[in-house]
Amino acid sequence: MTINQISIFIENKPEALAKLTDVLASNNVNLRALSLADSSDFGIARIIVDDASVVEKVLTASDFIVKASPVLAVEIPDQSGSLNHILQILSKAGRNIEYMYGFTGKKTNQAYMIIRTTDIAATEKVLSENFIRMIDQKEIAEV
């Protein structure tokens, strides 16, 4: 049960991120989650949106370099140690996390972690076997 993340390559200069958000706002795109990583020359904005295929086309048409990739959206209970519990399960199963970032649902008041691993299918299996709830692309607009 994966969702689609869009990675956008942007120059590391003051107006670049504002240009990206201007295109998204102009096309009525509501960001569910955003992660920004940078180096001295460029940055990578990773976004979660309701309809990734539409947003990917919008950004490509606006001359952004984009890549869609599957990630897991894991529900995290609002209690101390919840993330640690999930990470311990993944660690014991030998699953490597490449990166992760979080967001909260405006309708559900739940926290979610976007997780990218070296083997999405194997990680999804481990999480399912341990009764860790994941959401799919259709549910993104509903959280």
Side-chain angles (χ1 to χ4, degrees), residues 42-59:
F42 68 93
I44 299 174
R46 294 181 173 108
I47 62 173
I48 302 297
V49 295
D50 293 347
D51 192 336
S53 61
V54 169
V55 174
E56 187 178 5
K57 290 174 188 169
V58 164
L59 291 173

Side-chain angles (χ1 to χ4, degrees), residues 53-123:
S53 61
V54 169
V55 174
E56 187 178 5
K57 290 174 188 169
V58 164
L59 291 173
T60 301
S62 296
D63 297 325
F64 284 95
I65 299 170
V66 302
K67 179 183 176 190
S69 54
V71 293
L72 299 168
V74 178
E75 190 173 84
I76 307 289
D78 186 15
Q79 55 193 17
S80 178
S82 294
L83 178 59
N84 180 59
H85 172 71
I86 292 167
L87 294 178
Q88 290 297 328
I89 289 169
L90 294 175
S91 176
K92 288 176 185 164
R95 304 299 349 122
N96 185 43
I97 294 176
E98 295 177 356
Y99 59 83
M100 67 180 191
Y101 54 98
F103 72 99
T104 56
K106 65 180 180 178
K107 297 176 186 173
T108 62
N109 289 326
Q110 290 287 345
Y112 300 90
M113 291 302 291
I114 302 300
I115 300 175
R116 174 70 182 185
T117 64
T118 50
D119 187 334
I120 294 285
T123 303

Side-chain angles (χ1 to χ4, degrees), residues 126-142:
V126 168
L127 292 170
S128 293
E129 289 172 348
N130 286 276
F131 308 102
I132 306 298
R133 185 176 176 321
M134 294 166 281
I135 61 173
D136 62 18
Q137 190 69 46
K138 187 170 55 173
E139 288 180 87
I140 287 294
E142 300 169 5

